[in-house]
Amino acid sequence: MCGIAGEVSFRGAPRVEDVVQLTQRVRHRGPDDSGTWRSPASECVLGHARLSIIDLSPLGHQPMVDPRSGNTISFNGEIYNYRELRKELEAVGEKFRSATDTEVILALYRRHGTECLWRLRGMFAFAIWDEQGKRLFLARDRVGKKPLNYAIAEEGLVFCSEIDPLSRHAKVSRDLDTEALELYLQLQYIPAPWTIYKTIRKLAPAHCAVFDQSGISIERYWDVDYSRKIKISEQEALDGL
C-alpha cells in the first residue's frame, strides 16, 4: 500500500509544510520513497509515501506529472489490467517513460477525463490535479479496498489516506460528529461517508469527487448489476456448487 495526501485552496496557497506533515504521518504505508509536488500557480499541493511494487526504479516516483497536460497524480493501489490498457494506449500513439500503472492512469485521464474510471480494474484511491481545468479529481475503487478521506476546510479541501493525520491538520476541525457516534453504537462501525469528526468524510466506495472553485461534487460511478441472470436448472446449479 501507499499513502496519499494533499490540499487545494483557491483563496490562498496551501503550505507545502502542511502536506509534508500529512505525508510523514502516513509514511508507514509507503516507506520506500516519498515526494511532494506543488502546482505552478500554487493552488494545489500533493504528497505521496510510496511502497514500491510495480517498476521499482525512480521512474515510479510520485506525485507523477503528465508532461503533455501538466496533470499530476498521487495514487495508492494496483490496477490489475494496466498492461492491457497500456497496449491499447500505445496502439493510438501514447508513449510511456515508466513501467508503472500510475502513468497509465494519467494517460487515460488525459484522454477520457473522469470516465477513465470505467476502464480501471483494481484496488485504488487516487487524486489527480487537473491543471487545465483547475480542479482536483478524487476516486476510490468499487468496493473500497483503498481508503480516502477528505475535509472541507474554510479555505479549501484537504485529503489523506488516514483519518488521524487529517484530524491533526491545522485547518481541520476536530469537533465530534454525534450522528456518527450514534451510528457506531448501533452498528459497531462508522459507515461511509461519516467519520467520528464533523468535518472529515470518507469518500464512499465506487464514488468519485471533483473539487473546484464552485465547491465539491460527488457521484457514484459504479453499482452492482443484478439484472444479468444465469438461467440454469437447479441440478446444474448444484453441480456447479
Side-chain angles (χ1 to χ4, degrees):
M1 61 183 176
C2 298
I4 66 174
E7 183 176 352
V8 175
S9 175
F10 299 104
R11 298 176 57 185
R15 292 180 358 122
V16 173
E17 295 83 359
D18 291 340
V19 176
V20 168
Q21 285 189 356
L22 283 174
T23 305
Q24 288 176 343
R25 287 171 176 153
V26 293
R27 191 65 193 271
H28 57 278
R29 300 179 63 91
D32 297 329
D33 187 22
S34 64
T36 309
W37 171 89
R38 179 167 57 185
S39 63
S42 300
E43 318 98 320
C44 175
V45 179
L46 298 179
H48 189 266
R50 185 186 182 201
L51 179 66
S52 302
I53 300 295
I54 299 174
D55 192 343
L56 308 185
S57 76
L59 292 175
H61 178 78
Q62 292 191 53
M64 183 180 289
V65 181
D66 176 9
R68 292 180 58 181
S69 64
N71 298 336
T72 306
I73 187 172
S74 186
F75 164 62
N76 170 31
E78 183 177 352
I79 306 303
Y80 305 141
N81 63 334
Y82 83 96
R83 291 185 179 88
E84 293 85 352
L85 293 171
R86 178 178 173 134
K87 287 179 182 178
E88 291 177 17
L89 291 164
E90 287 175 332
V92 295
E94 288 287 344
K95 297 186 182 300
F96 295 91
R97 298 170 298 164
S98 71
T100 64
D101 48 358
T102 311
E103 194 175 5
V104 171
I105 300 173
L106 276 174
L108 278 174
Y109 180 80
R110 175 166 27 85
R111 287 179 171 269
H112 303 290
T114 59
E115 293 184 1
C116 69
L117 293 173
W118 286 101
R119 309 293 306 281
L120 302 177
R121 300 290 179 267
M123 52 180 181
F124 57 83
F126 63 75
I128 295 178
W129 171 251
D130 186 319
E131 178 59 29
Q132 185 174 2
K134 297 297 179 182
R135 63 180 188 172
L136 184 73
F137 176 51
L138 300 170
R140 193 174 176 201
D141 63 73
R142 289 166 171 79
V143 297
K145 178 99 178 198
K146 296 301 181 183
L148 185 50
N149 310 281
Y150 67 92
I152 303 296
E154 184 177 345
E155 296 181 0
L157 179 143
V158 189
F159 71 91
C160 189
S161 292
E162 297 184 3
I163 294 173
D164 181 67
L166 193 53
S167 72
R168 297 174 187 273
H169 191 285
K171 296 176 183 176
V172 176
S173 168
R174 294 170 63 91
D175 290 347
L176 179 73
D177 189 329
T178 55
E179 184 178 6
L181 178 59
E182 183 177 344
L183 286 167
Y184 175 76
L185 294 174
Q186 292 175 3
L187 305 172
Q188 297 300 297
Y189 77 103
I190 300 176
W194 290 272
T195 75
I196 200 63
Y197 300 107
K198 276 185 179 180
T199 57
I200 300 177
R201 289 293 176 257
K202 304 169 190 171
L203 186 64
H207 281 67
C208 61
V210 172
F211 180 75
D212 57 20
Q213 295 190 55
S214 62
I216 190 168
S217 59
I218 301 172
E219 65 175 295
R220 176 187 285 272
Y221 68 86
W222 177 86
D223 203 351
V224 179
D225 183 3
Y226 293 103
S227 62
R228 303 173 194 173
K229 303 296 182 182
I230 301 173
K231 295 183 178 180
I232 57 177
S233 68
E234 182 180 358
Q235 187 57 52
E236 288 174 318
L238 289 169
D239 290 344
L241 178 62

